[in-house]
Amino acid sequence: MNILVINCGSSSLKYQLIDSETEKVLAKGLCERIGIDGALTHQPAGKDKIKTTPAMPDHTVAIQLVLEQLTDPENGVVKSLDEISAVGHRVVHGGEKFTSSCIITDEVIKEIEACNVFAPLHNPACLIGINACKELMPNLPMVAVFDTAFHQTMPAKAYLYAIPYKYYEKYGVRRYGFHGTSHQYVSAKAAEILGKKPEDLKIIVCHLGNGASLSAVKYGKCVDTSMGLTPLEGLVMGTRSGDLDPAILEFIANQENLTLSEVMNILNKESGVAGLSGVSSDFRDVRAAAEDNEIAANALEVHRYRVAKYIGAYAAAMNGVDAIAFTAGLGENDSESRAVISEYLGYLGAKIDPERNDVRGEDAIISTDDSKVALLCVPTNEELMIARNTAALV
Ligand code: AMP
């Protein structure tokens, strides 16, 4: 069956039409500048991208345009909307309510709305996409796939913060974790590449993109992850600080006469390798600059060192590790980062093979045959995971 996968941002919308039997992408595309002027890039499988700039006042119009492209006699991939069996929506925050994907009902929409406080930029955009699809295709089953769901198996010792317990009880302040669809896909794929079952392995997934998070996946279940109540905690990211002493917030606010919101904005948008290097949030730019710029070189080291520290923590949390998988923009493409991070892991008996590590964007074992821990490069595929979960539920 054909599944339409929708990933909505506040002014953008990514889509893929996936045949769930063959797992082939029939078409994919992107609507940008929704509510501003509008730009649509549509790409049927095996053909060139088609770029248009139709008026796109809101998400409903954007989705209408996507459906027109998918059924277009020339550039379309299906004859009519009857050939689409279901829609799978990526939803960023499902709180504690959603431990797995679910069919979208009015009740589910209300529950997603209740999670808006945790993801005020992301969840409302997901809901706009859901409501727009509901309006345009009222009889089609829809499924919500949550970024947080895979992490709901974490034990209390991993998800509780050491602050007064009443804040957890009253407001749900706890670790939720994100990128769950990616961590789920990559941990399962790593096991498949190794010819083993996820239930037999302790795996650390390093999702290293512009946003970055690690997860400890023990026997197929997530037991810890580095992002927290929000996607700000944990690793050093493109523009996000990751972990820091919470007292820094008040210190900077006092020194610079800023409000708490302004400091939060700095931690989310002006920190990470961008803030540290002063060069860019794009790791390729920082790497190029690092050749003759010590500050940029330090920024890369801080990033890699933090990843290595978390790997150590998760090896301890699981009392061992069988496999470490690198994924997302940097993890899939940057062999140098993978090599430097792996150098920290000698005590685990992990040995990277420089020749095998010379890969970009493909499934590969990159450790030596005698490495005690398997190191892997595994391109993530969140859209396929959303299509699989959607097909399974409808
Ligand atoms: P993502 O958020 O998964 O799309 O990842 C985006 C990040 O991946 C950007 O910061 C890119 O700099 C980084 N990236 C993509 N390709 C490469 C590469 N070949 N080398 C280093 N970083 C890369």
Side-chain angles (χ1 to χ4, degrees), residues 86-103:
V87 185
H89 291 270
R90 175 192 181 212
V91 180
V92 169
H93 216 303
E96 283 190 319
K97 178 77 189 172
F98 297 105
T99 56
S100 59
S101 306
C102 66
I103 300 269

Side-chain angles (χ1 to χ4, degrees), residues 238-239 270-300:
T239 62
E270 297 173 26
S271 299
V273 289
L276 255 183
S277 67
V279 173
S280 165
S281 65
D282 192 304
F283 286 85
R284 287 165 289 201
D285 299 339
V286 183
R287 244 179 70 181
E291 283 171 23
D292 56 8
N293 174 339
E294 198 187 344
I295 298 174
N298 280 344
L300 289 180

Side-chain angles (χ1 to χ4, degrees), residues 5-18:
V5 175
I6 300 271
N7 182 351
C8 253
S10 53
S11 67
S12 69
L13 181 160
K14 283 189 246 171
Y15 65 92
Q16 286 194 7
L17 188 67
I18 298 178

Side-chain angles (χ1 to χ4, degrees), residues 174-252:
R174 53 158 284 178
R175 175 182 311 287
Y176 289 98
F178 299 87
H179 297 138
T181 314
S182 174
H183 288 285
Q184 185 182 13
Y185 174 83
V186 172
S187 55
K189 188 78 190 176
E192 186 190 317
I193 295 168
L194 295 170
K196 301 213 167 130
K197 292 191 194 131
E199 300 84 62
D200 294 330
L201 293 171
K202 297 172 184 174
I203 303 176
I204 296 174
V205 177
C206 309
H207 179 111
L208 308 178
N210 191 27
S213 65
L214 250 74
S215 67
V217 185
K218 189 175 183 183
Y219 307 141
K221 292 203 161 72
C222 176
V223 294
D224 208 344
T225 191
S226 59
M227 282 179 167
L229 175 75
T230 75
L232 181 57
E233 192 182 349
L235 302 175
V236 177
M237 311 185 209
T239 62
R240 283 172 246 166
S241 64
D243 296 341
L244 41 72
D245 178 349
I248 290 172
L249 276 79
E250 189 191 32
F251 184 84
I252 293 178

Side-chain angles (χ1 to χ4, degrees), residues 43-81:
Q43 187 172 29
K47 292 193 185 166
D48 289 339
K49 286 182 182 164
I50 301 139
K51 292 190 179 179
T52 48
T53 51
M56 222 180 267
D58 57 38
H59 285 71
T60 309
V61 175
I63 291 173
Q64 178 71 54
L65 290 163
V66 169
L67 298 178
E68 282 169 18
Q69 287 290 334
L70 291 171
T71 53
D72 183 77
E74 204 179 324
N75 304 319
V77 288
V78 288
K79 287 198 191 72
S80 78
L81 293 183

Side-chain angles (χ1 to χ4, degrees), residues 312-333:
Y314 288 171
M318 295 193 288
N319 196 5
V321 53
D322 300 305
I324 299 169
F326 294 93
T327 193
L330 183 80
E332 291 167 22
N333 294 301

